[in-house]
Amino acid sequence: MMDSYYYEQTELVYKEVDKYLPEHKENPCKDCKMCCTIMASQGATLLEFDYIREYLIKTGRSPEEIEKFRDYVIKLKEPETNKPVHLICPFYSSTKKGCSIYPARPLSCRTFGYFIKDERLHLIPDICNLKKFIKMYTDYTFASVVPFALPFYESGFWL
């Protein structure tokens, strides 16, 4: 069981992040799921893995689902074919056309399409409805463009 202090701190970080993101009445992404594919190279901290596991338990889902997400994040490959086990995030719901753990999704997922490193801009398709909102950063401008995330990334708990 995750320590409640860390759970609450993670929620506070996510609430702060949400202040920087535009609100949408409906899913602006429509059928695009680029941010949910292996090409986007989403990541998560160990704290976020615990947070997601707690979310799964609280919502009556199997906490073991986090293992598939871990395999997706680390780009685990099939030994026989050397192809990734997951090309799309295991938490992506094709029926809902979105994230099945949306309230607990990691910071990298929350900010993808809004904040992106300049060298990764090619990952955002031209048809992306969020492209007009993107704020690009470099290694040197990260702290000024994405100030809310700096303490989170500096935690050093990345998988």
Side-chain angles (χ1 to χ4, degrees):
M1 191 96 185
M2 182 179 193
D3 185 306
S4 64
Y5 170 79
Y6 294 109
Y7 192 90
E8 291 164 8
Q9 291 303 305
T10 303
E11 284 186 334
L12 288 174
V13 169
Y14 288 163
K15 285 178 183 173
E16 182 65 22
V17 170
D18 291 344
K19 292 178 188 176
Y20 287 82
L21 304 176
E23 288 187 35
H24 303 284
K25 292 187 193 302
E26 57 185 56
N27 180 357
C29 300
K30 308 285 187 234
D31 291 332
C32 180
K33 55 186 170 277
M34 174 58 78
C35 62
C36 302
T37 68
I38 198 168
M39 289 177 57
S41 297
Q42 300 296 32
T45 65
L46 295 176
L47 187 60
E48 286 178 302
F49 274 86
D50 286 343
Y51 187 82
I52 293 168
R53 185 177 290 110
E54 289 294 315
Y55 177 82
L56 293 169
I57 293 167
K58 286 181 178 184
T59 57
R61 292 172 61 175
S62 169
E64 285 76 28
E65 287 183 67
I66 196 68
E67 302 308 320
K68 289 180 184 176
F69 182 65
R70 185 206 62 221
D71 293 346
Y72 165 74
V73 169
I74 65 170
K75 297 181 179 171
L76 183 69
K77 296 185 179 190
E78 296 281 356
E80 305 84 34
T81 63
N82 203 33
K83 292 183 180 178
V85 172
H86 301 284
L87 295 176
I88 191 161
C89 178
F91 291 126
Y92 179 80
S93 168
S94 56
T95 55
K96 294 181 181 178
K97 299 210 184 295
C99 183
S100 67
I101 60 160
Y102 192 80
R105 70 198 187 286
L107 186 64
S108 65
C109 299
R110 289 171 189 273
T111 59
F112 190 89
Y114 298 106
F115 298 91
I116 195 161
K117 195 167 184 178
D118 60 347
E119 65 202 29
R120 298 182 73 213
L121 186 60
H122 70 280
L123 294 176
I124 309 290
D126 289 334
I127 60 166
C128 178
N129 292 323
L130 301 179
K131 207 159 192 164
K132 61 186 170 217
F133 296 110
I134 292 176
K135 293 182 180 163
M136 286 192 301
Y137 62 87
T138 65
D139 289 337
Y140 303 106
T141 63
F142 179 77
S144 62
V145 176
V146 195
F148 58 84
L150 199 56
F152 197 76
Y153 284 111
E154 287 178 340
S155 70
F157 294 111
W158 282 94
L159 180 66

